[in-house]
Amino acid sequence: MLFAPAIRSAALASPRSFDRGFERFVNDAFFPTARGVQVESTEQGWTLSLDVPGIAREDLGVGIEGQVVRIETRAEAKRQYKAAYELPQEIDAGASEAKLENGVLTLKLARLAPVSKVTQLTVA
């Protein structure tokens, strides 16, 4: 397989989108996690189930930023794990939850309801 790096100009893509693309590339290349991942989508949100055997609850960290969820272990953990998933809509972190049971991490991620920013003007 031939690898050709993608070069993007600043006018075409924001640095943030390039960073996410690079992060996905690194995750896929060095932290293959897609084998043990199941994703279910509903109107309320998504459920991600990840196989993380041998990882203790206190070693896991889950971060949510916009529509990206990042899962990684502490540096001192016996077994290392790192993954990031970008969902099609922003995540409501306050209404989401994470549960680790029998080596399976289950994330119930709620969709963030879009807020209308329309301001009504009074017609004089």
Side-chain angles (χ1 to χ4, degrees), residues 54-61 72-74 76-79:
I55 297 178
R57 179 175 288 114
E58 56 273 0
D59 289 339
L60 269 175
E72 69 181 293
T73 54
R74 296 181 318 159
E76 304 84 33
K78 292 179 185 177
R79 184 160 179 259

Side-chain angles (χ1 to χ4, degrees), residues 22 24 51 67 74 89 96 100 103 107 114 123:
F22 182 72
R24 275 193 299 267
D51 293 335
Q67 61 193 51
R74 296 181 318 159
Q89 188 176 342
S96 299
L100 180 64
L107 302 174
V123 180

Side-chain angles (χ1 to χ4, degrees), residues 42-101:
T42 65
E43 288 183 22
Q44 293 79 23
W46 305 271
T47 301
L48 272 70
S49 298
L50 304 107
D51 293 335
V52 290
I55 297 178
R57 179 175 288 114
E58 56 273 0
D59 289 339
L60 269 175
V62 178
I64 295 174
E65 180 183 353
Q67 61 193 51
V68 177
V69 60
R70 288 183 176 82
I71 304 141
E72 69 181 293
T73 54
R74 296 181 318 159
E76 304 84 33
K78 292 179 185 177
R79 184 160 179 259
Q80 295 296 308
Y81 185 89
K82 183 176 183 179
Y85 301 95
E86 185 172 2
L87 298 171
Q89 188 176 342
E90 288 199 23
I91 303 164
D92 184 354
S96 299
E97 60 184 52
K99 180 173 141 181
L100 180 64
E101 191 171 61

Side-chain angles (χ1 to χ4, degrees), residues 8 15 18 31 33 45 58 60-61 66 70 87 91 111 115:
R8 300 180 190 195
F18 181 74
F31 303 100
T33 58
E58 56 273 0
L60 269 175
R70 288 183 176 82
L87 298 171
I91 303 164
R111 292 178 194 263
V115 177

Side-chain angles (χ1 to χ4, degrees), residues 7 14 23 26 29 37 41 52 67 72 89 106 121:
I7 299 175
S14 69
E23 183 177 354
V26 170
V37 178
S41 180
V52 290
Q67 61 193 51
E72 69 181 293
Q89 188 176 342
T106 303
L121 296 177

